[in-house]
Amino acid sequence: MNKHDLLTMGEVTRRSGYAASAVRYYESQGLIRAERSSGGQRTFERSVLRRLAFIRAAANVGLSLEEIKAELDCLPGDRTPTKADWARMSRHWRRRLEEQIHALERLRDNLDSCIGCGCLSLQRCGISNPNDAAAEQSSGAAYLPKVLRREPPRRRA
């Protein structure tokens, strides 16, 4: 490999738009790989830019990092996804997107009614959530479709 095909952390962050902390995190999770220079600095193959672009696109679809890693792990030889790979992988995500779109449309169409937060502050809550039944199902917006729920960020210990 030509040394000009290697990128520094600064070049990767500038060209990818990711913060250095995100790049380091993705490396620690096995989504990308870096080599170390003799001085201990990370260097990346130019192909890391395509992998980072893939990670961003997949995350925008709603895939978790675990799902993204599973997709990347299916690629032979740790290579970057090709157009054919993207087409194959994205077919799996089409159903998820359709479910998200459907759930968002239902949410939009019922936006002016109770979403089951358990607050009982809306007059209609007596109908949609009598006796605060939603509180027994879960915390937060109990009637929000599961496909639209996001886990709260995990606190670092």
Side-chain angles (χ1 to χ4, degrees):
M1 170 174 301
N2 186 330
K3 71 176 183 174
H4 297 290
D5 288 334
L6 295 177
L7 303 173
T8 65
M9 176 67 84
E11 291 170 316
V12 169
T13 59
R14 180 179 54 79
R15 293 188 57 193
S16 70
Y18 280 104
S21 59
V23 173
R24 287 189 298 271
Y25 180 73
Y26 292 157
E27 180 191 8
S28 74
Q29 297 302 302
L31 295 165
I32 61 174
R33 285 189 316 144
E35 303 295 326
R36 296 289 192 274
S37 70
S38 58
Q41 293 181 323
R42 286 176 175 84
T43 58
F44 301 87
E45 291 183 13
R46 188 173 305 280
S47 61
V48 78
L49 296 172
R50 183 175 290 248
R51 285 179 79 90
L52 288 169
F54 174 86
I55 292 166
R56 174 163 285 140
N60 285 342
V61 169
L63 270 65
S64 68
L65 287 182
E66 293 81 19
E67 291 170 310
I68 294 169
K69 183 175 182 339
E71 293 287 0
L72 288 172
D73 286 347
C74 290
L75 298 175
D78 200 36
R79 70 169 167 76
T80 60
T82 63
K83 184 177 179 180
D85 294 326
W86 179 259
R88 178 184 49 78
M89 291 177 200
S90 65
R91 277 194 297 274
H92 302 150
W93 309 336
R94 185 170 299 279
R95 182 168 176 244
R96 168 184 270 167
L97 284 173
E98 292 297 332
E99 289 173 356
Q100 289 174 335
I101 290 167
H102 181 68
L104 284 168
E105 287 172 343
R106 282 194 332 257
L107 181 63
R108 178 202 60 210
D109 294 344
N110 295 309
L111 198 56
D112 60 349
S113 66
C114 177
I115 61 170
C117 65
C119 71
L120 296 175
S121 63
L122 299 173
Q123 287 181 342
R124 181 156 177 199
C125 279
I127 298 169
S128 297
N129 187 19
N131 301 319
D132 197 16
E136 295 175 17
Q137 293 179 21
S138 70
S139 60
Y143 299 145
L144 186 66
K146 288 185 184 206
V147 72
L148 297 179
R149 292 182 190 204
R150 297 264 160 81
E151 291 295 319
R154 289 183 236 160
R155 292 186 175 177
R156 292 185 182 178

